Amino acid sequence: MSRLLLNCDIGESFGNWTMGLDVEVMPFIDCANVACGFHAGDPSIMRKTVSLALSHGVQIGAHPAYQDLVGFGRRSMAYSAQELQDILHYQIGALDGICKAQGGRVSYVKPHGAMYNDMMANPAQLRAVIQAVAAYDRSLPLMLMATRDNSAAQQIGDEYGVTMWFEAFADRAYDSAGKLVSRQLPGAVHHDPGKIIEQALTIARGDNLSASDGSALRLHANTLCVHGDNASSVAAVQRIREALNQQSAS
């Protein structure tokens, strides 16, 4: 990819319960990570979110999770490698079917929450996720966390012929290894729109961030995430979009 793509976790409402600001954020993003029903979303929410994404020309990504509606997919759960692949295929296939019914398609996969964090901490689980994507459709990129060193994850992706899209976060604090600071710790999520914009542009320029311990951290990323459930991020997203566009044009 020649430019930094802006992505957002989206479609995370459920039934009559509303989560996020999907309508407001969709015009400014490149990629929509659509919840597939296990941590949020339901068939109707998925359909509406896909329709909204298609109307704005936004790429649609499957955002699968552990089967944990109550915990919003943010609690680790024990799955075997085969079970993990099964739930990935179930969720990707469901969203892909809804996309096809509207003339679209799933364009990439980004695991959610605890599944995302667990695969970054456990190479065997990352391998299982990559195998699942390769088995479903080898042409689908896998979105995963950019860290201080992406080489180990890239090597597994290359082994299975799956493209890696490394992702950085505009609204999260990082530790010295380039991992996200736990949401249970103070300062893990940025709520100042100015700070979110500053971090987004620092990543886009390839400059150093300041990690939680004060050390310099450089992330090599293909895509930048703004969380749709963080009102401060949504408030900043238009200015981030404008800044990224200006950078691409220069």
Side-chain angles (χ1 to χ4, degrees):
M1 292 179 292
S2 59
R3 66 188 182 94
L4 197 66
L5 299 178
L6 192 59
N7 80 80
C8 185
D9 300 346
I10 214 160
E12 292 183 320
S13 299
F14 184 79
N16 291 328
W17 181 77
T18 300
M19 176 70 155
L21 300 166
D22 295 2
V23 173
E24 290 83 354
V25 76
M26 193 70 81
F28 304 109
I29 62 176
D30 300 294
C31 302
N33 317 318
V34 180
C36 300
F38 272 28
H39 78 281
D42 59 44
S44 294
I45 296 295
M46 292 162 70
R47 174 184 55 77
K48 293 173 185 176
T49 308
V50 165
S51 177
L52 183 63
L54 291 174
S55 71
H56 287 282
V58 172
Q59 292 190 67
I60 297 165
H63 197 39
Y66 294 146
Q67 195 165 14
D68 182 25
L69 275 174
V70 173
F72 199 65
R74 288 182 174 157
R75 301 181 293 190
S76 290
M77 303 178 74
Y79 287 90
S80 69
Q82 185 60 64
E83 289 170 334
L84 186 61
Q85 292 180 46
D86 291 344
I87 65 170
L88 283 164
H89 290 160
Y90 185 95
Q91 293 175 83
I92 298 167
L95 182 64
D96 204 21
I98 288 172
C99 288
K100 288 180 178 178
Q102 298 189 56
R105 64 183 293 269
V106 166
S107 296
Y108 63 94
V109 177
K110 176 190 171 181
H112 165 82
M115 183 189 291
Y116 184 96
N117 292 330
D118 290 349
M119 77 179 190
M120 294 307 303
N122 183 346
Q125 181 153 335
L126 177 59
R127 181 176 294 273
V129 171
I130 292 173
Q131 284 180 312
V133 173
Y136 185 85
D137 183 346
R138 199 179 302 274
S139 72
L140 296 180
L142 175 67
M143 194 179 290
L144 70 167
M145 190 189 305
T147 63
R148 188 178 289 277
D149 183 359
N150 299 330
S151 60
Q154 183 66 62
Q155 184 175 351
I156 302 174
D158 291 345
E159 183 179 338
Y160 291 94
V162 173
T163 299
M164 303 283 101
W165 281 2
F166 290 101
E167 171 186 43
F169 293 81
D171 58 357
R172 294 293 304 276
Y174 284 90
D175 66 19
S176 59
K179 301 290 183 66
L180 298 179
V181 172
S182 170
R183 287 177 178 267
Q184 298 178 7
L185 298 176
V189 180
H190 303 323
H191 295 288
D192 176 0
K195 186 171 186 176
I196 293 169
I197 294 165
E198 179 184 0
Q199 181 158 309
L201 295 183
T202 298
I203 293 167
R205 290 191 301 265
D207 293 340
N208 289 335
L209 298 174
S210 179
S212 57
D213 66 352
S215 63
L217 172 67
R218 181 168 296 182
L219 300 173
H220 298 284
N222 307 109
T223 182
L224 183 72
C225 180
V226 177
H227 284 101
D229 61 344
N230 182 349
S232 300
S233 296
V234 176
V237 69
Q238 182 174 1
R239 290 168 63 190
I240 294 173
R241 172 81 281 157
E242 291 169 352
L244 292 179
N245 287 347
Q246 289 173 2
Q247 184 186 58
S248 295
S250 63

